[in-house]
Amino acid sequence: MDFAGYDPAGGRQSPGIVSAKIVVAGGFGVGKTTLVGSISEITPLTTEAVMTAAGVGIDDPSKVPGKETTTVAMDFGRITMAQDLILYLFGTPGQTRFWFMWDEIIRGAVGAAVLVDTRRITDAFAPLDYFENRNLPYVVALNRFDGAPQYELEEVREALAISPQVPLVMTDARHRESVKQVLVTVVEHAMLRLQAEHGRGSPTPVG
Amino acid sequence: MDQRRADPRGELVRPYAVTRGRTEPRQDIALEAVLTASPTQVAESRFAGHDKHRIATVCEGRAQSLAEIAAYTRMPLGVARVLVADMVAESLLTLHTAAPAEGFEERMELLGRVLSGLRRL
Ligand SMILES: Nc1nc2c(ncn2[C@@H]2O[C@H](COP(=O)(O)OP(=O)(O)O)[C@@H](O)[C@H]2O)c(=O)[nH]1
Ligand SMILES: [Mg+2]
């Protein structure tokens, strides 16, 4: 967690509305935007960040004059749960080479759902590795496409070497109820993890 | 990835000008941090320049995250973050929660609220 410059008193913060976010990851075309759109109260929005070709975090193009830049887009949705509570859902940019953007997205996140398409199962390796390394609670959701190979959940767990503690669920990203279940699983898993880590006296994982 | 323009300055020069060359926000603000603007703040923002006024207008009557502000104003995230941090310091926007809860109790309470919020959907 890096909020080095964060100063509640000087920053004129008002403790009114609280927000949280859940991250939706997975390879290109796996259904991230569809999942967000199925449950978001707004049509998924897109935010862009500028980065250098070297893959360095941007925000400061002036410090890298002459370097080639590229724009990374991420989309997100919103669920207003109460007057003082908003949940945001952030889809990760397709390629894991946009690390800086992923780091920004997961900072402080509740947890993540990694979508898997059984036709391109290995696309999930990069996001799985990423969340494993960042110690962010995540669940794996199998997004079954029509005509895709029908694997059993446990076959997928084995193929992707997903540890037994990580929840693995089936989903249809187009259906609100199904998406809701995935998100419930993410939050429940995050709570269990937090409780377990608290019990062991380790620091709170916040991305 | 988007490479609409061969000359990257097309993307960069204006944002750089908007923030008067500053690229470090005064205060770090998370993507999902929410901001609001009262009618008074919106009115005052008129004197703070076009871009800040647009931001205040987006936040009038409805709490908006930094990510939403960037999306609705079509500003790159880094630029929106600098301007929003300025506006918070200038009292043109009210920042609700800059950073996520860190303590165990606080965090569990937030997760519990999110969980019941999801179940109620
Ligand atoms: N059959 C089926 N199609 C899906 C499902 N989820 C997404 N799609 C389709 O797959 C395509 C890619 O989805 P998209 O959400 O854009 O993927 P993204 O690149 O991960 O954001 C779209 O045409 C969707 O309609 C699903 O659960 N089942
Ligand atoms: Mg997408």
Side-chain angles (χ1 to χ4, degrees):
Chain A
M1 194 76 213
D2 178 19
F3 278 97
Y6 169 55
D7 167 17
R12 298 175 201 213
Q13 182 177 356
S14 148
I17 305 160
V18 175
S19 58
K21 71 182 161 195
I22 292 177
V23 179
V24 182
F28 181 76
V30 77
K32 299 180 295 291
T33 306
T34 305
L35 184 147
V36 171
S38 295
I39 200 153
S40 172
E41 72 199 25
I42 54 172
T43 305
L45 293 170
T46 302
T47 292
E48 294 188 336
V50 185
M51 72 183 282
T52 67
V56 179
I58 38 67
D59 279 3
D60 192 356
S62 66
K63 281 189 184 150
V64 284
K67 285 234 180 99
E68 235 182 275
T69 60
T70 223
T71 303
V72 187
M74 56 168 182
D75 43 34
F76 63 96
R78 163 176 175 150
I79 304 170
T80 306
M81 301 188 137
Q83 229 167 17
D84 64 345
L85 179 64
I86 307 171
L87 176 66
Y88 288 98
L89 305 173
F90 280 89
T92 55
Q95 298 105 316
T96 30
R97 68 192 176 87
F98 297 132
W99 290 123
F100 83 93
M101 203 65 209
W102 284 59
D103 289 348
E104 161 94 59
I105 291 170
I106 70 156
R107 191 172 61 162
V110 168
V114 179
L115 282 175
V116 175
D117 175 349
T118 54
R119 297 167 300 182
R120 286 168 299 177
I121 218 162
T122 52
D123 284 2
F125 279 128
L128 289 173
D129 279 350
Y130 177 84
F131 294 127
E132 200 58 57
N133 289 332
R134 303 298 152 120
N135 199 32
L136 187 78
Y138 66 92
V139 308
V140 180
L142 204 56
N143 199 15
R144 272 212 185 145
F145 286 84
D146 310 321
Q150 305 288 300
Y151 294 109
E152 295 297 323
L153 282 178
E154 288 315 305
E155 288 180 285
V156 173
R157 188 184 290 281
E158 205 175 310
L160 287 172
I162 300 165
S163 89
Q165 292 93 314
V166 173
L168 179 58
V169 296
M170 208 81 89
T171 191
D172 186 323
R174 298 165 300 178
H175 292 126
R176 183 182 162 88
E177 271 310 306
S178 176
V179 168
K180 181 178 142 179
Q181 259 328 299
V182 172
L183 299 180
V184 163
T185 309
V186 171
V187 181
E188 285 175 340
H189 182 57
M191 290 177 90
L192 282 174
R193 271 270 306 265
L194 191 59
Q195 230 151 10
E197 277 166 26
H198 183 67
R200 283 202 306 274
S202 17
T204 316
V206 284
Chain B
M1 180 157 70
D2 185 350
Q3 288 176 321
R4 283 171 299 191
R5 295 178 175 91
D7 180 357
R9 285 176 305 168
E11 295 266 10
L12 299 178
V13 167
R14 189 178 164 279
Y16 187 69
V18 164
T19 61
R20 296 176 200 278
R22 285 180 314 104
T23 53
E24 285 294 321
R26 298 186 191 203
Q27 178 184 12
D28 200 359
I29 297 175
L31 280 175
E32 72 279 16
V34 290
L35 300 120
T36 52
S38 67
T40 310
Q41 285 171 314
V42 174
E44 282 173 2
S45 72
R46 283 180 196 284
F47 306 104
H50 179 66
D51 292 294
K52 288 183 177 175
H53 182 56
R54 276 164 70 212
I55 291 176
T57 306
V58 164
C59 299
E60 188 178 16
R62 177 165 159 97
Q64 303 284 9
S65 60
L66 171 63
E68 284 167 301
I69 291 169
Y72 288 129
T73 59
R74 300 180 186 278
M75 289 182 197
L77 188 59
V79 173
R81 180 173 271 145
V82 168
L83 293 181
V84 164
D86 278 358
M87 292 177 71
V88 171
E90 292 156 4
S91 297
L92 293 173
L93 283 179
T94 302
L95 173 64
H96 289 261
T97 321
E102 287 193 65
F104 172 74
E105 306 287 339
E106 238 189 318
R107 191 95 183 134
M108 279 305 269
E109 195 202 314
L110 176 64
L111 296 188
R113 288 195 67 200
V114 170
L115 185 60
S116 44
L118 281 171
R119 288 194 170 128
R120 273 197 310 270
L121 286 181

